[in-house]
Amino acid sequence: HSSMSWSPIHYFYRSFPFEELAALYRLADVALVTPVRDGMNLVAKEFVASKAGQRGVLILSERAGAAHELSDALIINPTDLNQLVEALHEGLLMPEEEQLTRMANMQALVQQYDVFAWTKLFMDRLAYSKIKQHTLATNTLDEAVMAELLRDYHAAARRLLLLDYDGTLVGFRANPQQAAPDAELRELLRALSDNPQNRVVIISGRDRGTLEKWLGDLPLDFVAEHGVWLRRAGEEWRLFQELRADWKRELRPMLELYVRRTAGSFIEEKDYSLVWHYRRADADLGAMRARDLMSHLTFITSNTDLQVLEGNKIIEIKNTGINKGAAASRWLSSEQPDFILAVGDDRTDEDTFGAMPPEAYTVKVGGAPRSRARYSSPSSAEIRQLLRSLL
């Protein structure tokens, strides 16, 4: 305890000049850095850098960012008082040889990763990200490309058109059931599929019942639920492969929890998948809940035969190995077309683009800066205009 002439604790709620601060660091036997949360890491590293004689002990909170680097410090939980006291005792009694070893290791790390090293690392990663963006960049579907596409289309004897539905042939709706095809779209699809040189495939995440109801009377081929169900024109629906759906009983309660926590969201249940929609939810809240749910589901489904897909305002859980690209490959192998046009708007369509040969015309709707598609188009209206030009 303190006396009239001596106080064991001096509390300074102010800054110090650099020279005085370095001197205090150098004189100290132990530095106790115990933030509940910290990302700057300045005090811990300044203390290490100031120990010219390499004598001294750093006690550091496990919740400081520097704790992941300065592993030679005594790492503690700042809310555990007993652990803190034990660390203080250990630090005050630590042999000089151990102090020198620990401090030398920490000084080498601080010296190597100084502000210039971190800046260079950050800028290098930033430049690398830009390079990756350029490698995945898409070209706009301009007049020159359109002219080339039409020339190749008319010259081909066998043509394959792979068309996503939501966001590609029709715009998005707050209620997915309100996205039924209008008369213009039905006439357009019928005209394209009536041409004996064309094979038109609607490759969608929609369930087979909805596709059958909206477009089943047209001579179209279908891929439903991202590749779970397949149907050629005039034939019956069949599974891509045998699947299981018993997992839905375990995961549906989690989705229902997020529905209760996110006003406007809802669950869509398909034959072999579950979909959480948040298009009608508040934009910021929906995005935050989607990140949480995606992280949670990814952890739960790891090392299982399930996969989690993030689409446009949706998160879908389904069996692994089933995707639009695998389904599209079946049409490629059976049709062996001379001309291919594949159009889609979200991440699930990237599998389709990836399965296409280099010469195929692949188009990402929405002007995304990064895609496997060769070209991009701003909206579904332009896609309809493109399809009309093929007639």
Side-chain angles (χ1 to χ4, degrees):
H1 300 279
S2 63
S3 65
M4 292 296 292
S5 59
W6 179 72
S7 177
I9 298 176
H10 295 270
Y11 182 66
F12 299 101
Y13 192 71
R14 60 181 177 85
S15 60
F16 281 86
F18 175 76
E19 294 79 4
E20 291 185 31
L21 186 62
L24 289 172
Y25 284 147
R26 185 166 182 176
L27 287 170
D29 297 307
V30 176
L32 187 62
V33 185
T34 58
V36 175
R37 185 176 184 182
D38 180 29
M40 292 295 288
N41 311 309
L42 296 180
V43 173
K45 292 185 177 180
E46 287 170 352
F47 172 76
V48 170
S50 300
K51 304 304 286 184
Q54 296 183 334
R55 292 178 179 83
V57 178
L58 172 63
I59 300 175
L60 183 59
S61 165
E62 65 186 3
R63 300 178 186 177
H68 299 290
E69 303 173 70
L70 303 178
S71 56
D72 284 283
L74 300 181
I75 307 299
I76 64 165
N77 180 340
T79 62
D80 188 336
L81 296 183
N82 291 329
Q83 189 182 27
L84 187 150
V85 170
E86 290 172 3
L88 271 173
H89 184 262
E90 181 183 353
L92 290 168
L93 299 182
M94 184 177 291
E96 183 176 312
E97 182 180 352
E98 184 178 351
Q99 292 184 36
L100 296 175
T101 301
R102 287 173 176 264
M103 191 59 66
N105 292 338
M106 290 189 287
Q107 285 185 348
L109 188 141
V110 171
Q111 186 173 15
Q112 179 181 359
Y113 292 104
D114 60 9
V115 64
F116 303 106
W118 285 116
T119 302
K120 183 178 185 304
L121 178 63
F122 178 84
M123 297 305 293
D124 287 347
R125 295 302 300 176
L126 190 63
Y128 175 76
S129 299
K130 183 55 65 177
I131 291 171
K132 292 294 291 183
Q133 285 181 4
H134 286 311
T135 60
L136 294 173
T138 57
N139 297 317
T140 304
L141 195 65
D142 55 21
E143 292 184 5
V145 176
M146 278 291 297
E148 180 183 354
L149 185 152
L150 291 173
R151 185 168 59 251
D152 292 345
Y153 173 83
H154 290 297
R158 297 169 63 89
R159 308 156 182 155
L160 177 63
L161 309 182
L162 300 166
L163 308 175
D164 176 46
Y165 186 79
D166 292 281
T168 301
L169 296 178
V170 298
F172 286 107
R173 303 288 189 273
N175 184 347
Q177 296 306 315
Q178 295 177 348
D182 52 66
E184 179 196 23
L185 177 59
R186 288 177 53 83
E187 291 175 7
L188 179 58
L189 292 175
R190 179 177 290 280
L192 287 170
S193 55
D194 280 343
N195 189 326
Q197 295 176 277
N198 293 343
R199 174 70 73 173
V200 182
V201 184
I202 303 299
I203 182 165
S204 173
R206 289 273 183 176
D207 63 276
R208 57 176 175 153
T210 300
L211 292 177
E212 182 78 39
K213 174 184 175 182
W214 288 351
L215 300 169
D217 59 319
L218 301 179
L220 300 167
D221 293 0
F222 292 100
V223 174
E225 296 186 27
H226 300 297
V228 172
W229 290 101
L230 313 178
R231 199 203 80 173
R232 291 182 178 272
E235 299 180 6
E236 296 297 320
W237 288 97
R238 57 190 177 87
L239 281 171
F240 183 84
Q241 65 185 46
E242 288 300 320
L243 302 170
R244 48 181 284 267
D246 55 341
W247 55 267
K248 291 196 288 186
R249 291 195 304 271
E250 300 176 15
L251 295 184
R252 186 181 178 97
M254 184 190 303
L255 298 187
E256 290 173 345
L257 172 63
Y258 275 82
V259 168
R260 291 194 294 270
R261 296 177 62 199
T262 315
S265 66
F266 63 93
I267 300 170
E268 177 188 5
E269 182 166 354
K270 303 176 185 177
D271 291 329
Y272 294 95
S273 65
L274 287 173
V275 189
W276 184 70
H277 292 259
Y278 60 99
R279 183 170 301 281
R280 292 185 295 181
D282 175 79
D284 293 334
L285 178 63
M288 181 178 68
R289 292 283 189 265
R291 287 194 300 270
D292 292 344
L293 179 59
M294 189 73 182
S295 177
H296 200 170
L297 289 173
T298 301
F299 175 76
I300 290 177
T301 58
S302 60
N303 300 319
T304 70
D305 58 352
L306 299 176
Q307 62 178 322
V308 184
L309 295 176
E310 187 175 8
N312 199 319
K313 303 292 184 181
I314 66 163
I315 291 179
E316 182 166 359
I317 316 158
K318 66 185 188 67
N319 291 267
T320 191
I322 305 297
N323 57 60
K324 292 181 178 181
S329 296
R330 290 204 175 186
W331 266 265
L332 284 176
S333 59
S334 62
E335 298 300 322
Q336 297 182 345
D338 306 314
F339 173 89
I340 303 169
L341 172 64
V343 190
D345 74 294
D346 69 13
R347 295 182 186 180
T348 62
D349 297 299
E350 295 298 321
D351 294 319
T352 304
F353 301 147
M356 297 297 104
E359 66 275 10
Y361 287 91
T362 51
V363 183
K364 180 68 174 283
V365 182
R370 298 179 300 279
S371 173
R372 293 182 180 180
R374 293 173 60 193
Y375 305 104
S376 64
S377 183
S379 69
S380 58
E382 280 70 20
I383 296 303
R384 289 202 190 189
Q385 185 176 350
L386 164 64
L387 296 177
R388 280 194 294 269
S389 68
L390 301 181
L391 301 177

